[in-house]
Amino acid sequence: MTDWLDYGLAGLDPSTLATTTLLSEKHVIPSLGARKLRDLSAEDVDRWLATKARTLSTRTLQSIHSYLNRAVKRAMARDKVKRNVVELCSVPQGQAGRPSKALTFAQADAVLRGAEGTSMHAYIVLALLTGARTEELRALTWDHVFLKGKPDADPPQPPHIAVWRSVRKSGDTKTRKSRRTLALPARCVDALWQQFEDQGWDRLAADEWTLRELRHSFVSLLSDRGVPLDVISRLVGHSGTAVTEEVYRKQIRPVIQTGAVAMDGIFGIDPRRP
């Protein structure tokens, strides 16, 4: 377990790492740490889980079972043990978790009304009406927000936000499947328009525009013309498509033409060219 905690958790968000370490050191190592790995049996794990189920929630039981399972898998990969007995053991039902603090409709409506006119209004409306994670909303910037939608698209797209980033250490969402586009309820659109106006975004955007935006425009234009992600990634010199995909979120359609040909089609041939 200590080997896995020291070397098997590279790249995890600091808060996740802290929680994993805390639960492992409190619930796994004191109970099973003195056991030789080759002597650990499925019965040992079953008894350990049953004992922990008297005081821990089902979710916490699932977590500590997962930690032990991953640690033993790491040991197997290093020829420390021949099989993983943890995989043979089911997680029992634990204690009930903390009571839900979900708002009633009346409470939610009161929160929305109470937030009006404050700097947190748009954040609270989005959190309540879209279900996005707080770590995703905190990373949301205006280039992820499409308040007018795309009515001329086929099919038309309503106002929406692109949830592709978070405040995690990597900047990515919790999982790859967490990357999603969420249509906005009318109340969210109204709150965001108010936020947009309050920030004076048009003036700020004009002040902050730089030549680097030409590179962003290059990628965006290629994406609009259907150039596939792997081609765009090579053209801009990214190490892989994941980097390109994180920054440029437009939908990639079947290939039409490669970079240079596509840009010629967009802008035409320079008439000054001999």
Side-chain angles (χ1 to χ4, degrees), residues 15 34 45 106 113 127 139 154 194 201 205 238 261:
S15 62
V45 178
R113 294 180 185 278
D154 184 20
Q194 186 61 54
W201 193 256
H238 283 161
V261 176

Side-chain angles (χ1 to χ4, degrees), residues 14-237:
S15 62
T16 303
L17 179 59
T19 300
T20 301
T21 302
L22 176 65
L23 291 177
S24 297
E25 291 181 343
K26 184 175 181 179
H27 296 295
V28 184
I29 295 174
S31 301
L32 299 173
R35 198 92 163 131
K36 289 182 181 291
L37 186 55
R38 65 175 177 269
D39 296 333
L40 183 68
S41 68
E43 289 75 15
D44 293 330
V45 178
D46 282 334
R47 282 193 292 269
W48 167 66
L49 288 170
T51 300
K52 291 298 178 181
R54 298 171 189 166
T55 56
L56 299 181
S57 69
T58 302
R59 183 171 181 177
T60 302
L61 287 172
Q62 291 169 340
S63 294
I64 61 176
H65 175 271
S66 172
Y67 301 158
L68 181 61
N69 185 35
R70 289 152 65 186
V72 175
K73 279 185 177 180
R74 178 180 171 84
M76 283 183 64
R78 286 153 180 77
D79 295 324
K80 303 294 184 183
V81 67
K82 296 300 182 184
R83 67 172 185 158
N84 184 359
V85 297
V86 184
E87 290 187 323
L88 305 176
C89 303
S90 301
V91 178
Q93 184 73 29
Q95 303 303 303
R98 66 175 179 81
S100 172
K101 295 183 179 180
L103 301 175
T104 65
F105 171 77
Q107 291 170 330
D109 188 58
V111 168
L112 291 174
R113 294 180 185 278
E116 291 179 358
T118 71
S119 60
M120 290 291 290
H121 183 227
Y123 180 91
I124 290 172
V125 173
L126 276 177
L128 187 59
L129 272 63
T130 68
R133 296 180 178 93
T134 56
E135 66 194 43
E136 297 166 345
L137 292 178
R138 286 160 58 197
L140 192 65
T141 56
W142 285 115
D143 65 322
H144 300 172
V145 178
F146 304 87
L147 293 179
K148 295 182 179 179
K150 296 181 179 180
D152 297 330
D154 184 20
Q157 296 179 8
H160 58 276
I161 55 174
V163 181
W164 281 65
R165 296 178 183 174
S166 76
V167 294
R168 289 170 172 262
K169 183 178 179 180
S170 65
D172 206 350
T173 52
K174 185 174 182 180
T175 67
R176 192 174 182 84
K177 288 186 177 180
S178 295
R179 299 178 184 179
R180 62 207 187 278
T181 299
L182 299 175
L184 291 173
R187 198 160 184 169
C188 290
V189 176
D190 292 342
L192 285 168
W193 272 123
Q194 186 61 54
Q195 181 85 351
F196 185 92
E197 293 170 3
D198 290 346
Q199 289 184 352
W201 193 256
D202 286 336
R203 176 184 57 79
L204 184 60
D207 291 342
E208 292 187 349
W209 191 90
T210 66
L211 286 175
R212 187 173 61 179
E213 300 303 323
L214 294 176
R215 174 176 167 87
H216 286 243
S217 300
F218 170 82
V219 174
S220 189
L221 289 165
L222 290 181
S223 180
D224 279 342
R225 284 298 179 98
V227 176
L229 184 61
D230 60 331
V231 175
I232 295 175
S233 181
R234 290 197 300 271
L235 288 170
V236 296

